[in-house]
Each structure stands twice: as structure tokens, then as C-alpha cells.
Amino acid sequence: MNTVMLVMAQAASSLADSIAGENPVLTPVAGPEEMTLWGMAVKGGWIMIVLAVLSLVCFYILFERNYVIRKAGKEDPMFMDKIKDYILGGEIKSALAYCRNVNTPSARMIEKGISRLGRPVSDVQAAIENVGNFEVAKLEKGLNIMATIAGGAPMIGFLGTVTGMVRAFFEMANAGNNVDITLLSGGIYEAMITTVGGLVVGIIAMFAYNYLVTLVDGVVNKMEAKTMAFMDLLNEPC
């Protein structure tokens, strides 16, 4: 009986070994690493931090200037008609109060012109132009920074490209005859990522700058139209 049990145990053990050999346990193999924006930014090195700061500055200027310029361009279409009625009616103080209440670049220009009434027309026009230049400078505040970012961000990205390639060749030189592609991949990866980052920030800044310049030009055209209408009003025969 014991002999039979021993034979059955040995047979069961052999069968189990055979099944295990035919169906080996598969060990899960890690798949390739997925490429994400954050992973790319991290591998870009310290240059990406500089580009991130520049992009934040660019977006801040874009949203802040967009709000200010659009607000400056909103005016009452009957503004000059009301100013004309006040001046022809001799209500100079009411005209000044109305300009202060409107509180736009064009209104501040006209307010300065009204305050110079009684002086030569050339003096009135010069005073209006001085205020206009000051108002345009206020509207363009920060645009020079955005233009600098548009031109400088790609250059900073190219700087990262150069430093990445330098690191890649440095590691290749230190490896001697045991050159492996993995030694070069880190530096080359950094070089490519910083180039992409610099171009992306520069392109966004360039389009944002041109957009804001277009808005400023629209406000300037309105200011010039108001100035011409006011000067025509002063030159009308009594």
C-alpha cells in the first residue's frame, strides 16, 4: 500500500512539473515610457524654467493689456456731439465734467483742449498732441517686454540646444571606446526639448504682441478722429 501511494505521489509530482514546463509563469514586461508634456519639460533642464517664467510674463501682459486697451476703446458714439453742444452753449465747465466722467484717452485729450480754449489754435493742438502721446505710451506699457520675449525666447531655446549637445559630446568623450547611445540620448533630448520650448514661447509672444499692437492702433485711430473733430469745431465760423 505504501509503495502504491509513493508511486502515485511521484507521478503527480512529474505531472505538475510537466504542466509547469509547458505553461511557464509570464513575468509582466514594462512597456516603453510614455511621453508627456511634464516629462519633456523636466528633461529639458534649467532652460525650461527660464522659458516657463517668460511664458507667464507673456500671458500676464497679454490679459492685462487686452483688458486695459479694450476698456480705453469703449466710448459713447455721441461723445463729440455732446461736447459740441456744451461748447456752443458756453457750458465749458459741463464739458470738462463730462470728459472727466467718460475718463478715456480721447476724453482726456479733449478735456485738455477745452481747458486751453481762448489761446491760439496751435497751442490748443499742441496741448492735445502732448496728452495723446502720453496716453499712447500708457497703452503700450509692457509691449516692449513682450517683443523682447518674442525675440529672446527662441535664442534661449537655442542656448539650451548648445548646452545639451556640449553635455552629450562631453559624456561621449569620457566614455572612451565604450560609447553607448544611451550616454548621448540625455544631452540630445535636452537639446531638442529646449529648442521646441523656446520656439513655442517665442511664437506665442509674437502673435500676442501683434494682436495688442492692433488693438492699440484701433484706439489711436479713434483718438485722432476725436482730435480732428475737436479742431474742426474750433475752426468753425462763429
Side-chain angles (χ1 to χ4, degrees):
M1 186 65 177
N2 293 334
T3 302
V4 174
M5 295 294 294
L6 180 60
V7 172
M8 291 178 64
Q10 291 177 349
S13 177
S14 299
L15 180 60
D17 293 340
S18 177
I19 294 174
E22 293 178 358
N23 300 282
V25 178
L26 298 179
T27 303
V29 179
E33 181 183 357
E34 294 184 359
M35 181 178 294
T36 62
L37 291 177
W38 175 251
M40 292 172 62
V42 170
K43 291 183 179 180
W46 64 271
I47 293 290
M48 297 301 293
I49 299 177
V50 178
L51 293 176
V53 173
L54 293 179
S55 65
L56 291 176
V57 174
C58 176
F59 280 113
Y60 172 78
I61 295 175
L62 172 61
F63 293 123
E64 190 267 342
R65 286 292 94 188
N66 180 69
Y67 172 78
V68 171
I69 297 171
R70 286 189 175 275
K71 182 179 179 181
K74 292 182 179 180
E75 295 182 351
D76 183 2
M78 303 298 295
F79 175 77
M80 287 307 302
D81 293 332
K82 294 179 181 179
I83 291 295
K84 182 177 180 180
D85 293 338
Y86 283 133
I87 293 178
L88 295 181
E91 302 178 12
I92 304 301
K93 292 184 178 179
S94 297
L96 293 173
Y98 177 61
C99 290
R100 297 190 188 100
N101 185 50
V102 174
N103 194 27
T104 61
S106 297
R108 286 188 284 272
M109 291 172 56
I110 301 303
E111 179 186 356
K112 178 60 70 172
I114 295 173
S115 66
R116 294 292 189 271
L117 288 179
R119 298 186 180 184
V121 175
S122 58
D123 292 346
V124 175
Q125 185 172 1
I128 293 176
E129 290 177 352
N130 290 335
V131 175
N133 293 333
F134 179 71
E135 293 294 335
V136 172
K138 289 198 302 182
L139 292 176
E140 293 178 343
K141 180 181 178 181
L143 295 189
N144 56 341
I145 297 177
M146 183 170 287
T148 302
I149 294 175
M155 300 302 295
I156 295 175
F158 292 147
L159 174 62
T161 301
V162 174
T163 57
M165 296 304 296
V166 168
R167 185 164 69 87
F169 283 109
F170 178 77
E171 293 176 352
M172 183 174 64
N174 288 338
N177 295 329
N178 300 321
V179 178
D180 189 359
I181 189 62
T182 57
L183 295 175
L184 306 178
S185 60
I188 297 176
Y189 195 70
E190 175 184 335
M192 296 299 100
I193 292 301
T194 54
T195 300
V196 173
L199 289 175
V200 169
V201 175
I203 290 171
I204 293 175
M206 180 186 65
F207 280 104
Y209 172 79
N210 290 330
Y211 168 73
L212 293 178
V213 167
T214 302
L215 293 183
V216 172
D217 289 341
V219 177
V220 171
N221 290 335
K222 293 180 180 179
M223 294 167 61
E224 292 177 348
K226 297 291 190 302
T227 301
M228 294 177 61
F230 183 75
M231 298 308 300
D232 289 341
L233 174 62
L234 297 185
N235 292 322
E236 286 184 359
C238 299

